[in-house]
Amino acid sequence: TVKAQGKNGVRASGEALVEESARRSRLARDLPGAIARGELRMVYQPVAGAEERRVLGVEALVRWDHPELGPVPPEEFIGLAEDDGLIVPLQRWVLATATAEHARLVAGGRDLKLGVNISVRHLQARCLVEDVTRALEGSGLPAHLLMVEVTESVLMDDDERLLAELAELSALGCVVSLDDFGKGYSSLAYLARLPVQVLKMDRGFVSGIDTDPRVAALVGSVVDLGRTLGMDVVAEGVETRAQLEVLTALGCRFLQGWHIGRPVPAADLPARVDGFDPALVGGPEAVAVP
Ligand code: C2E
Ligand code: MG
Ligand code: MG
Ligand code: MG
């Protein structure tokens, strides 16, 4: 497919490029009405604790069911929304929907955090704190259960006010996490100054962890870095038992990926969370002794 060619870095044919740009303009044209037409929905992926041996939280991931093109992945439309000034209304819908669905999930006494991905553009628009506050008030979700995930690109914007906004979210009681850590630009010097409590290690690290000792060593040093900075480290993209075992041996306690669970609609979460099989985070022998 066009997408696969682009992703693999293979030069797309002229025809494929035309097709790709036609799809892009089609998506850009249809996106503005997508919220109102009810074409967006949220799915939730579990994050488990190796020591707790249970699901500790879920990450909210947006989906667009296009009536003719079918499911469109967020990587195809978040960027469009950012370019077209639609990201703030889209994020507001995501925040309101995810906090409301999560509030229902924890109403019965489940102790689970909710991760929501935020665009740096929303931070730059200076209304993120206000929008988060409104979502928490509207849903009744306690602030400490909300984790706001920002990507490394926040580091590239050398703007102190962005960091101040993140600090304000922490002051509200929310958790702030740095997503896709290690995927692109990372300034280690800057990391120490970031008001974040959680590092989400990009799945690029995890994919070679069980076959390449150098990758394992690198992941071990990210886990140590997190410990030094007082941040929890979550491994993303844990797909196999073998990866899980190396991660736990390296002291990585928080795990997310298809091995732990695929993203599912809110209605399926109670069964996933309450019926979670602790063997998925390894046997007691696989859990590193602190
Ligand atoms: P992310 O925040 O890093 O989310 C994790 C992505 O990895 C998700 O892709 C998830 O489905 C996928 N994933 C989880 N486990 C595995 C695994 O074991 N193997 C592999 N290969 N993939 C796994 P998804 O849902 O397509 O989302 C892609 C990205 O789009 C997210 O990356 C996030 O940056 C962005 N995104 C998703 N929802 C939202 C949203 O509501 N707002 C904003 N601004 N961005 C969003
Ligand atoms: Mg994320
Ligand atoms: Mg990520
Ligand atoms: Mg990502």
Side-chain angles (χ1 to χ4, degrees), residues 75 151 179-180 183:
E75 263 137 1
T151 59
D179 204 352
D180 300 345
K183 187 177 182 180

Side-chain angles (χ1 to χ4, degrees), residues 1-12 16 20 23 76:
T1 67
V2 175
K3 205 171 150 242
Q5 281 178 345
K7 284 238 164 104
N8 295 337
V10 176
R11 184 182 291 272
E20 196 172 52
R23 179 177 163 96
E76 269 192 272

Side-chain angles (χ1 to χ4, degrees), residues 59-61 115-118 147 149-151 177-180 200 236 256:
E59 175 172 9
L61 299 160
V116 175
N117 294 285
I118 289 299
M147 178 160 97
E149 305 194 0
V150 294
T151 59
S177 73
L178 188 62
D179 204 352
D180 300 345
K200 296 194 76 173
E236 300 192 286
Q256 182 178 359

Side-chain angles (χ1 to χ4, degrees), residues 55 105 110 264-277:
V55 177
L105 183 69
R110 293 187 186 92
V264 294
D268 296 350
L269 273 180
R272 292 300 189 93
V273 168
D274 302 340
F276 182 74
D277 177 3

Side-chain angles (χ1 to χ4, degrees), residues 44 93-107 114 135-136 138-141 266:
Y44 300 87
W93 181 87
V94 165
L95 277 166
T97 306
T99 53
E101 292 189 323
H102 198 72
R104 281 196 286 278
L105 183 69
V106 297
L114 167 71
L136 292 173
S139 62
L141 189 74

